[in-house]
Amino acid sequence: MSGRRLFRHARILTLAGSAEARRGPAMRELAVIEDGAMVTEGGRIAWVGADADLPTGLVIDDVHELEGRVIMPAFVDSHTHLVWGGDRRDEMQMRLEGADYEAIFAAGGGILSSVARTRALDEDALFEQSAARLARMRRCGTTAFEIKSGYGLDLETELRQLRVARRLGEMQGVRVRTTCLTAHAVPEEARADETARAAFVDRILDEVLPAVAAEQLADFCDVFCDRGAFTVEETRRVLARAAELGIPPRLHANEFGHTGGAKLAAEVGARSADHLLHLDAEERAALREAGVIATLLPGTSLVLAKPFADGRAMVDDGLAVAVATDCNPGSCPMENLGLVLALACHGCRLLPAEAICAVTHNAAVSLDLADERGRLEPGLAADFLELDTDDERDLVYHAGSPFLRRVWAAGSLVPR
Ligand SMILES: [Zn+2]
Protein backbone atom coordinates (compact mmCIF):
# COMPACT_ATOMS: atom_id res chain seq x y z
CA MET A 1 0.00 0.00 0.00
CA SER A 2 1.43 3.35 -1.05
CA GLY A 3 -1.39 5.31 0.58
CA ARG A 4 -1.51 7.41 -2.59
CA ARG A 5 -4.74 8.65 -4.09
CA LEU A 6 -5.00 10.05 -7.59
CA PHE A 7 -7.71 12.48 -8.75
CA ARG A 8 -7.83 12.75 -12.55
CA HIS A 9 -9.37 14.89 -15.26
CA ALA A 10 -10.52 17.69 -12.95
CA ARG A 11 -10.70 21.44 -13.32
CA ILE A 12 -8.37 22.29 -10.42
CA LEU A 13 -8.45 25.71 -8.78
CA THR A 14 -5.00 25.56 -7.19
CA LEU A 15 -4.64 29.23 -6.11
CA ALA A 16 -0.93 28.41 -6.44
CA GLY A 17 1.51 31.25 -5.92
CA SER A 18 2.65 33.49 -3.13
CA ALA A 19 1.80 32.68 0.48
CA GLU A 20 1.03 36.39 1.00
CA ALA A 21 -2.54 37.66 1.07
CA ARG A 22 -3.92 38.38 -2.42
CA ARG A 23 -4.92 42.03 -2.81
CA GLY A 24 -7.23 43.75 -5.27
CA PRO A 25 -7.26 42.21 -8.78
CA ALA A 26 -4.86 39.42 -7.70
CA MET A 27 -7.82 37.92 -5.80
CA ARG A 28 -9.29 36.89 -9.16
CA GLU A 29 -6.28 34.74 -10.14
CA LEU A 30 -7.16 31.21 -9.09
CA ALA A 31 -4.29 29.49 -11.02
CA VAL A 32 -6.66 27.04 -12.70
CA ILE A 33 -5.40 23.82 -14.28
CA GLU A 34 -7.85 22.55 -16.90
CA ASP A 35 -7.81 18.75 -17.21
CA GLY A 36 -5.66 18.55 -14.11
CA ALA A 37 -4.58 15.74 -11.83
CA MET A 38 -3.67 15.67 -8.15
CA VAL A 39 -1.96 13.03 -6.03
CA THR A 40 -2.40 12.92 -2.24
CA GLU A 41 -0.34 10.90 0.21
CA GLY A 42 -0.30 10.75 4.01
CA GLY A 43 -2.76 13.61 4.44
CA ARG A 44 -0.82 15.95 2.16
CA ILE A 45 -0.76 16.91 -1.47
CA ALA A 46 2.10 15.13 -3.23
CA TRP A 47 1.68 16.35 -6.79
CA VAL A 48 -0.57 18.70 -8.82
CA GLY A 49 -0.40 19.41 -12.53
CA ALA A 50 -1.83 18.73 -15.97
CA ASP A 51 -3.18 15.21 -16.33
CA ALA A 52 -0.95 14.77 -19.38
CA ASP A 53 2.13 15.48 -17.23
CA LEU A 54 1.33 12.89 -14.56
CA PRO A 55 4.60 11.17 -13.56
CA THR A 56 4.80 7.63 -14.90
CA GLY A 57 5.43 4.65 -12.65
CA LEU A 58 3.62 6.07 -9.59
CA VAL A 59 2.12 3.35 -7.43
CA ILE A 60 -1.46 4.46 -6.73
CA ASP A 61 -3.96 2.69 -4.46
CA ASP A 62 -7.02 4.62 -5.32
CA VAL A 63 -7.97 6.40 -8.55
CA HIS A 64 -10.83 8.91 -8.72
CA GLU A 65 -12.13 9.96 -12.12
CA LEU A 66 -13.54 13.51 -11.89
CA GLU A 67 -14.82 13.79 -15.51
CA GLY A 68 -14.20 17.52 -15.68
CA ARG A 69 -15.62 18.43 -12.28
CA VAL A 70 -14.04 21.17 -10.18
CA ILE A 71 -11.57 20.50 -7.37
CA MET A 72 -10.77 23.46 -5.10
CA PRO A 73 -9.27 24.07 -1.64
CA ALA A 74 -11.57 23.34 1.30
CA PHE A 75 -13.04 26.40 3.03
CA VAL A 76 -11.21 28.17 5.86
CA ASP A 77 -13.65 29.92 8.23
CA SER A 78 -11.63 32.75 9.76
CA HIS A 79 -14.31 34.19 12.08
CA THR A 80 -16.55 31.97 14.22
CA HIS A 81 -17.86 31.94 17.79
CA LEU A 82 -18.88 28.31 17.51
CA VAL A 83 -18.29 27.26 21.13
CA TRP A 84 -21.39 28.35 23.03
CA GLY A 85 -24.18 26.87 25.15
CA GLY A 86 -27.89 26.67 24.24
CA ASP A 87 -29.66 28.44 21.40
CA ARG A 88 -31.54 31.68 20.69
CA ARG A 89 -34.24 30.44 18.34
CA ASP A 90 -36.90 32.27 20.38
CA GLU A 91 -35.01 35.52 19.95
CA MET A 92 -34.98 35.01 16.17
CA GLN A 93 -38.72 34.37 16.31
CA MET A 94 -39.24 37.60 18.30
CA ARG A 95 -37.14 39.57 15.84
CA LEU A 96 -39.11 38.21 12.90
CA GLU A 97 -42.33 39.12 14.72
CA GLY A 98 -41.06 42.69 14.90
CA ALA A 99 -39.64 42.98 18.41
CA ASP A 100 -36.95 45.61 18.80
CA TYR A 101 -33.61 45.12 20.48
CA GLU A 102 -34.74 46.56 23.83
CA ALA A 103 -37.69 44.18 23.98
CA ILE A 104 -35.44 41.22 23.24
CA PHE A 105 -32.97 42.36 25.87
CA ALA A 106 -35.78 42.78 28.43
CA ALA A 107 -36.94 39.23 27.68
CA GLY A 108 -33.46 37.98 28.54
CA GLY A 109 -32.04 37.87 25.00
CA GLY A 110 -28.81 39.10 23.45
CA ILE A 111 -25.19 38.11 24.07
CA LEU A 112 -25.73 37.98 27.84
CA SER A 113 -28.31 35.19 27.51
CA SER A 114 -25.70 33.08 25.72
CA VAL A 115 -23.25 33.98 28.48
CA ALA A 116 -25.63 32.56 31.11
CA ARG A 117 -26.19 29.37 29.11
CA THR A 118 -22.48 28.91 28.39
CA ARG A 119 -21.50 29.44 32.03
CA ALA A 120 -24.02 26.73 32.99
CA LEU A 121 -22.31 23.98 30.96
CA ASP A 122 -19.32 21.91 32.01
CA GLU A 123 -16.51 21.26 29.55
CA ASP A 124 -17.86 17.99 28.17
CA ALA A 125 -21.36 19.35 27.58
CA LEU A 126 -19.93 22.43 25.89
CA PHE A 127 -17.69 20.22 23.75
CA GLU A 128 -20.62 18.03 22.71
CA GLN A 129 -22.83 20.94 21.61
CA SER A 130 -19.94 22.60 19.77
CA ALA A 131 -18.77 19.40 18.08
CA ALA A 132 -22.24 18.93 16.58
CA ARG A 133 -22.03 22.38 14.96
CA LEU A 134 -18.51 21.75 13.79
CA ALA A 135 -19.55 18.45 12.18
CA ARG A 136 -22.24 20.26 10.15
CA MET A 137 -19.75 22.93 9.11
CA ARG A 138 -17.37 20.22 7.89
CA ARG A 139 -20.12 18.68 5.82
CA CYS A 140 -20.56 22.13 4.28
CA GLY A 141 -16.90 22.12 3.20
CA THR A 142 -15.01 23.88 6.00
CA THR A 143 -11.96 22.06 7.39
CA ALA A 144 -10.11 24.90 9.18
CA PHE A 145 -11.74 27.14 11.78
CA GLU A 146 -11.03 30.17 13.87
CA ILE A 147 -12.94 29.87 17.17
CA LYS A 148 -13.38 32.74 19.63
CA SER A 149 -14.21 32.74 23.31
CA GLY A 150 -16.43 35.56 24.60
CA TYR A 151 -19.51 33.82 26.01
CA GLY A 152 -17.90 33.37 29.42
CA LEU A 153 -16.69 36.88 30.26
CA ASP A 154 -15.27 35.47 33.46
CA LEU A 155 -11.92 33.76 33.86
CA GLU A 156 -13.16 30.23 34.40
CA THR A 157 -15.65 30.09 31.53
CA GLU A 158 -13.36 31.87 29.08
CA LEU A 159 -10.66 29.27 29.78
CA ARG A 160 -13.25 26.49 29.43
CA GLN A 161 -14.39 27.78 26.03
CA LEU A 162 -10.81 27.99 24.77
CA ARG A 163 -10.00 24.50 26.06
CA VAL A 164 -13.04 23.17 24.19
CA ALA A 165 -11.86 24.95 21.03
CA ARG A 166 -8.41 23.36 21.42
CA ARG A 167 -10.06 19.93 21.92
CA LEU A 168 -12.06 20.38 18.72
CA GLY A 169 -8.76 21.04 16.95
CA GLU A 170 -7.40 17.70 18.11
CA MET A 171 -10.03 15.84 16.08
CA GLN A 172 -8.81 14.09 12.94
CA GLY A 173 -8.97 16.37 9.89
CA VAL A 174 -9.92 19.50 11.87
CA ARG A 175 -7.60 22.51 12.09
CA VAL A 176 -8.41 25.17 14.68
CA ARG A 177 -6.99 28.57 15.56
CA THR A 178 -8.28 30.03 18.82
CA THR A 179 -8.97 33.64 19.75
CA CYS A 180 -9.50 35.13 23.18
CA LEU A 181 -12.48 37.52 22.95
CA THR A 182 -13.18 38.21 26.61
CA ALA A 183 -13.79 41.84 25.58
CA HIS A 184 -16.94 40.78 23.69
CA ALA A 185 -19.52 42.42 25.96
CA VAL A 186 -19.64 43.96 29.41
CA PRO A 187 -21.18 41.28 31.66
CA GLU A 188 -24.21 41.85 33.85
CA GLU A 189 -22.09 42.06 37.00
CA ALA A 190 -19.96 44.90 35.57
CA ARG A 191 -22.81 47.09 34.30
CA ALA A 192 -23.56 48.97 37.53
CA ASP A 193 -21.32 51.99 36.83
CA GLU A 194 -18.09 53.17 35.21
CA THR A 195 -15.98 51.84 38.10
CA ALA A 196 -17.37 48.33 37.67
CA ARG A 197 -16.77 48.55 33.92
CA ALA A 198 -13.17 49.72 34.40
CA ALA A 199 -12.59 46.89 36.87
CA PHE A 200 -13.84 44.40 34.25
CA VAL A 201 -11.32 45.68 31.69
CA ASP A 202 -8.57 45.62 34.34
CA ARG A 203 -9.39 41.98 35.09
CA ILE A 204 -8.97 41.10 31.40
CA LEU A 205 -5.51 42.70 31.52
CA ASP A 206 -4.39 41.38 34.88
CA GLU A 207 -6.07 37.95 35.14
CA VAL A 208 -7.68 36.59 31.99
CA LEU A 209 -4.99 37.29 29.38
CA PRO A 210 -2.08 36.13 31.59
CA ALA A 211 -3.94 32.89 32.41
CA VAL A 212 -4.80 32.32 28.75
CA ALA A 213 -1.17 32.92 27.79
CA ALA A 214 0.16 30.64 30.53
CA GLU A 215 -1.94 27.75 29.18
CA GLN A 216 -1.20 28.75 25.56
CA LEU A 217 -4.91 28.72 24.85
CA ALA A 218 -5.13 31.60 22.37
CA ASP A 219 -3.46 32.17 19.00
CA PHE A 220 -5.05 35.63 18.73
CA CYS A 221 -6.75 38.30 20.83
CA ASP A 222 -9.90 40.03 19.59
CA VAL A 223 -12.05 42.88 20.94
CA PHE A 224 -15.58 43.96 19.96
CA CYS A 225 -14.62 47.58 19.37
CA ASP A 226 -17.85 49.36 18.53
CA ARG A 227 -20.78 51.36 19.83
CA GLY A 228 -22.39 49.54 22.74
CA ALA A 229 -19.31 47.34 23.21
CA PHE A 230 -15.76 48.57 23.93
CA THR A 231 -14.23 51.97 23.22
CA VAL A 232 -11.13 52.52 21.13
CA GLU A 233 -9.15 53.33 24.28
CA GLU A 234 -10.28 50.18 26.10
CA THR A 235 -9.55 48.13 22.99
CA ARG A 236 -6.06 49.61 22.66
CA ARG A 237 -5.26 48.63 26.26
CA VAL A 238 -6.49 45.04 25.84
CA LEU A 239 -4.59 44.53 22.59
CA ALA A 240 -1.42 46.08 24.01
CA ARG A 241 -1.51 43.70 26.97
CA ALA A 242 -2.09 40.75 24.62
CA ALA A 243 0.85 41.86 22.48
CA GLU A 244 3.08 41.95 25.59
CA LEU A 245 2.08 38.33 26.16
CA GLY A 246 2.88 37.43 22.54
CA ILE A 247 -0.74 37.17 21.35
CA PRO A 248 -1.37 38.99 18.04
CA PRO A 249 -4.51 41.09 17.43
CA ARG A 250 -7.60 40.83 15.21
CA LEU A 251 -10.64 43.06 15.63
CA HIS A 252 -14.44 43.39 15.36
CA ALA A 253 -14.57 46.85 13.78
CA ASN A 254 -16.92 49.39 12.17
CA GLU A 255 -20.07 47.26 12.29
CA PHE A 256 -22.29 50.02 13.69
CA GLY A 257 -20.49 53.15 12.49
CA HIS A 258 -17.17 54.88 11.87
CA THR A 259 -16.26 54.16 15.46
CA GLY A 260 -12.48 54.11 15.12
CA GLY A 261 -12.10 50.33 15.10
CA ALA A 262 -10.79 50.07 11.54
CA LYS A 263 -8.22 52.80 12.13
CA LEU A 264 -7.11 51.12 15.34
CA ALA A 265 -6.76 47.80 13.47
CA ALA A 266 -4.41 49.59 11.07
CA GLU A 267 -2.54 51.27 13.93
CA VAL A 268 -1.84 48.00 15.76
CA GLY A 269 -1.28 45.95 12.59
CA ALA A 270 -4.15 43.54 13.27
CA ARG A 271 -4.21 40.33 11.22
CA SER A 272 -7.77 41.12 10.28
CA ALA A 273 -10.50 43.74 10.76
CA ASP A 274 -13.96 42.19 10.62
CA HIS A 275 -17.51 43.37 9.73
CA LEU A 276 -16.60 46.83 8.26
CA LEU A 277 -20.15 47.78 7.26
CA HIS A 278 -19.12 51.41 7.59
CA LEU A 279 -15.78 52.02 5.86
CA ASP A 280 -14.85 55.16 3.94
CA ALA A 281 -12.00 55.65 1.47
CA GLU A 282 -9.64 56.94 4.15
CA GLU A 283 -10.30 53.92 6.37
CA ARG A 284 -9.85 51.57 3.42
CA ALA A 285 -6.50 53.20 2.65
CA ALA A 286 -5.39 52.83 6.27
CA LEU A 287 -6.17 49.09 6.25
CA ARG A 288 -4.44 48.65 2.88
CA GLU A 289 -1.27 50.48 3.95
CA ALA A 290 -1.08 48.47 7.18
CA GLY A 291 -1.63 45.15 5.38
CA VAL A 292 -4.74 44.35 7.44
CA ILE A 293 -7.04 41.78 5.85
CA ALA A 294 -10.63 43.04 5.60
CA THR A 295 -13.02 40.26 6.61
CA LEU A 296 -16.61 40.37 5.39
CA LEU A 297 -19.38 38.64 7.36
CA PRO A 298 -22.39 39.00 5.05
CA GLY A 299 -24.46 36.35 6.82
CA THR A 300 -24.79 38.74 9.75
CA SER A 301 -26.07 41.51 7.49
CA LEU A 302 -28.69 39.13 6.10
CA VAL A 303 -29.91 37.89 9.49
CA LEU A 304 -30.02 41.36 11.06
CA ALA A 305 -31.45 42.96 7.88
CA LYS A 306 -28.57 45.44 7.74
CA PRO A 307 -26.74 46.80 4.71
CA PHE A 308 -23.92 44.67 3.32
CA ALA A 309 -20.29 45.78 3.60
CA ASP A 310 -18.97 47.25 0.34
CA GLY A 311 -16.60 44.46 -0.65
CA ARG A 312 -16.41 45.81 -4.20
CA ALA A 313 -14.88 49.09 -3.02
CA MET A 314 -12.42 47.21 -0.81
CA VAL A 315 -11.12 45.04 -3.66
CA ASP A 316 -11.10 47.98 -6.08
CA ASP A 317 -9.05 49.95 -3.54
CA GLY A 318 -6.49 47.17 -3.40
CA LEU A 319 -7.34 45.54 -0.08
CA ALA A 320 -6.97 41.85 0.69
CA VAL A 321 -10.46 40.56 1.54
CA ALA A 322 -11.52 37.43 3.43
CA VAL A 323 -15.08 36.15 3.98
CA ALA A 324 -16.29 34.19 7.03
CA THR A 325 -19.54 33.00 8.61
CA ASP A 326 -19.39 34.81 12.00
CA CYS A 327 -21.19 31.64 13.19
CA ASN A 328 -22.67 32.67 16.57
CA PRO A 329 -25.91 32.05 18.49
CA GLY A 330 -27.52 35.46 17.89
CA SER A 331 -26.69 37.60 14.89
CA CYS A 332 -25.69 34.77 12.53
CA PRO A 333 -26.05 31.07 13.39
CA MET A 334 -25.16 30.17 9.77
CA GLU A 335 -22.74 27.27 9.44
CA ASN A 336 -22.54 27.01 5.66
CA LEU A 337 -19.57 29.05 4.41
CA GLY A 338 -20.43 28.09 0.83
CA LEU A 339 -23.72 29.96 1.20
CA VAL A 340 -21.95 32.93 2.82
CA LEU A 341 -19.54 32.95 -0.14
CA ALA A 342 -22.56 33.47 -2.39
CA LEU A 343 -23.82 36.28 -0.12
CA ALA A 344 -20.41 37.95 -0.43
CA CYS A 345 -21.08 38.14 -4.17
CA HIS A 346 -24.78 39.03 -4.23
CA GLY A 347 -24.57 41.30 -1.18
CA CYS A 348 -21.01 42.66 -0.99
CA ARG A 349 -20.51 42.56 -4.79
CA LEU A 350 -17.40 40.42 -4.94
CA LEU A 351 -16.83 38.45 -8.12
CA PRO A 352 -17.08 34.65 -7.72
CA ALA A 353 -13.31 34.17 -8.14
CA GLU A 354 -12.61 36.88 -5.54
CA ALA A 355 -15.03 35.28 -3.09
CA ILE A 356 -13.36 31.89 -3.59
CA CYS A 357 -9.97 33.42 -2.78
CA ALA A 358 -11.59 35.12 0.24
CA VAL A 359 -12.83 31.84 1.80
CA THR A 360 -9.65 29.89 1.09
CA HIS A 361 -6.21 31.47 0.73
CA ASN A 362 -6.87 34.93 2.18
CA ALA A 363 -8.73 33.44 5.15
CA ALA A 364 -5.80 31.08 5.73
CA VAL A 365 -3.35 34.00 5.64
CA SER A 366 -5.40 35.87 8.25
CA LEU A 367 -5.04 32.84 10.56
CA ASP A 368 -1.30 32.37 9.87
CA LEU A 369 -2.15 29.09 8.14
CA ALA A 370 -1.01 29.93 4.60
CA ASP A 371 1.88 27.47 4.80
CA GLU A 372 -0.55 24.57 5.21
CA ARG A 373 -4.07 25.53 3.97
CA GLY A 374 -5.95 27.51 1.38
CA ARG A 375 -4.10 26.43 -1.77
CA LEU A 376 -3.56 23.14 -3.59
CA GLU A 377 0.20 22.81 -3.85
CA PRO A 378 2.62 19.99 -2.97
CA GLY A 379 3.33 19.83 0.75
CA LEU A 380 0.09 21.52 1.82
CA ALA A 381 -2.72 19.65 3.58
CA ALA A 382 -4.93 17.48 1.36
CA ASP A 383 -8.02 19.51 2.35
CA PHE A 384 -10.15 20.01 -0.74
CA LEU A 385 -13.63 19.96 -2.23
CA GLU A 386 -14.99 18.07 -5.22
CA LEU A 387 -17.84 20.03 -6.81
CA ASP A 388 -20.67 18.46 -8.75
CA THR A 389 -20.14 20.89 -11.62
CA ASP A 390 -17.48 21.91 -14.11
CA ASP A 391 -18.03 25.63 -13.30
CA GLU A 392 -17.29 26.88 -9.77
CA ARG A 393 -19.53 29.90 -10.35
CA ASP A 394 -22.45 27.53 -9.67
CA LEU A 395 -21.64 28.03 -5.95
CA VAL A 396 -22.83 31.61 -6.45
CA TYR A 397 -25.34 31.16 -9.27
CA HIS A 398 -27.26 28.41 -7.48
CA ALA A 399 -26.43 29.77 -4.01
CA GLY A 400 -27.02 27.17 -1.30
CA SER A 401 -27.64 24.21 -3.62
CA PRO A 402 -25.82 20.96 -2.81
CA PHE A 403 -22.85 21.28 -5.16
CA LEU A 404 -20.38 19.71 -2.74
CA ARG A 405 -19.87 16.21 -4.07
CA ARG A 406 -17.27 15.22 -1.51
CA VAL A 407 -15.20 16.96 1.17
CA TRP A 408 -11.66 15.76 1.90
CA ALA A 409 -9.74 16.69 5.05
CA ALA A 410 -6.14 15.59 5.64
CA GLY A 411 -6.56 13.16 2.75
CA SER A 412 -9.64 11.42 4.22
CA LEU A 413 -13.30 11.74 3.30
CA VAL A 414 -15.41 13.85 5.66
CA PRO A 415 -18.50 11.77 6.58
CA ARG A 416 -21.75 13.09 5.09
ZN1 LIG B 1 -18.02 37.98 15.52
Side-chain angles (χ1 to χ4, degrees):
M1 290 287 284
S2 67
R4 286 195 199 100
R5 287 198 173 93
L6 168 62
F7 299 81
R8 301 197 68 168
H9 302 296
R11 171 179 163 82
I12 305 182
L13 318 182
T14 67
L15 283 91
S18 151
E20 303 290 310
R22 310 279 158 82
R23 297 157 165 250
M27 287 182 66
R28 299 195 278 274
E29 292 159 19
L30 300 183
V32 179
I33 304 174
E34 300 290 353
D35 198 23
M38 183 166 80
V39 178
T40 67
E41 183 180 2
R44 299 196 169 274
I45 295 164
W47 189 88
V48 190
D51 199 274
D53 298 336
L54 201 57
T56 51
L58 267 184
V59 179
I60 303 284
D61 293 323
D62 204 11
V63 180
H64 300 266
E65 178 54 60
L66 272 294
E67 298 175 328
R69 293 186 182 89
V70 171
I71 283 183
M72 61 175 284
F75 299 141
V76 176
D77 199 338
S78 59
H79 184 138
T80 88
H81 305 247
L82 79 86
V83 174
W84 77 78
D87 70 81
R88 280 154 61 189
R89 297 182 195 102
D90 292 345
E91 189 180 312
M92 174 189 74
Q93 180 81 24
M94 287 174 71
R95 225 172 25 232
L96 293 175
E97 286 170 356
D100 63 13
Y101 178 79
E102 270 79 12
I104 290 169
F105 195 78
I111 288 177
L112 296 184
S113 75
S114 290
V115 170
R117 287 173 229 202
T118 304
R119 286 178 178 178
L121 295 183
D122 67 20
E123 189 177 314
D124 286 342
L126 196 53
F127 179 84
E128 200 178 311
Q129 291 194 8
S130 307
R133 289 175 204 123
L134 182 118
R136 290 192 295 269
M137 294 168 92
R138 295 182 77 212
R139 286 163 63 188
C140 294
T142 304
T143 61
F145 306 79
E146 186 256 12
I147 302 177
K148 302 175 196 296
S149 67
Y151 291 112
L153 310 183
D154 60 21
L155 176 64
E156 197 186 318
T157 318
E158 289 288 313
L159 294 177
R160 190 156 71 240
Q161 270 192 289
L162 291 168
R163 286 186 197 119
V164 166
R166 285 281 192 235
R167 264 175 74 184
L168 292 168
E170 288 162 10
M171 293 164 62
Q172 175 63 27
V174 177
R175 187 68 164 101
V176 167
R177 288 289 202 210
T178 57
T179 299
C180 179
L181 177 63
T182 307
H184 189 199
V186 178
E188 201 75 67
E189 60 269 20
R191 286 181 177 237
D193 53 36
E194 282 305 308
T195 314
R197 180 188 175 97
F200 174 70
V201 175
D202 286 344
R203 270 203 307 282
I204 296 176
L205 269 54
D206 301 337
E207 291 173 26
V208 179
L209 286 173
V212 164
E215 246 187 272
Q216 299 191 336
L217 285 174
D219 302 308
F220 301 98
C221 181
D222 191 348
V223 176
F224 192 174
C225 178
D226 223 316
R227 254 200 310 270
F230 293 88
T231 66
V232 168
E233 205 34 62
E234 289 166 335
T235 304
R236 191 182 275 117
R237 287 182 67 208
V238 171
L239 296 181
R241 181 73 181 116
E244 275 173 24
L245 295 163
I247 308 174
R250 46 202 318 117
L251 213 54
H252 282 70
N254 291 42
E255 182 179 6
F256 303 135
H258 299 273
T259 47
K263 285 189 174 160
L264 180 62
E267 175 192 317
V268 302
R271 289 288 193 281
S272 168
D274 302 24
H275 283 295
L276 306 176
L277 268 56
H278 304 269
L279 199 70
D280 60 28
E282 194 192 330
E283 290 162 326
R284 286 195 293 274
L287 292 178
R288 182 186 60 231
E289 295 316 312
V292 179
I293 293 176
T295 299
L296 309 176
L297 309 169
T300 311
S301 292
L302 184 76
V303 172
L304 296 182
K306 283 188 188 174
F308 288 94
D310 190 349
R312 183 76 262 131
M314 295 179 202
V315 175
D316 289 347
D317 280 3
L319 271 74
V321 173
V323 168
T325 58
D326 195 18
C327 181
N328 75 77
S331 62
C332 187
M334 285 187 194
E335 296 162 337
N336 184 342
L337 186 49
L339 175 60
V340 173
L341 175 162
L343 291 178
C345 296
H346 296 300
C348 306
R349 311 312 289 174
L350 296 188
L351 300 176
E354 294 165 347
I356 286 172
C357 174
V359 295
T360 56
H361 175 69
N362 276 3
V365 174
S366 97
L367 297 179
D368 293 341
L369 288 176
D371 57 346
E372 51 172 275
R373 312 276 146 159
R375 290 169 288 142
L376 299 178
E377 290 191 271
L380 272 69
D383 284 29
F384 60 97
L385 311 176
E386 290 177 23
L387 304 188
D388 237 335
T389 172
D390 59 6
D391 189 334
E392 61 279 6
R393 292 177 300 177
D394 278 336
L395 293 174
V396 179
Y397 186 57
H398 294 294
S401 288
F403 275 101
L404 291 194
R405 185 172 185 246
R406 296 196 290 186
V407 178
W408 294 84
S412 296
L413 262 183
V414 171
R416 302 310 293 264

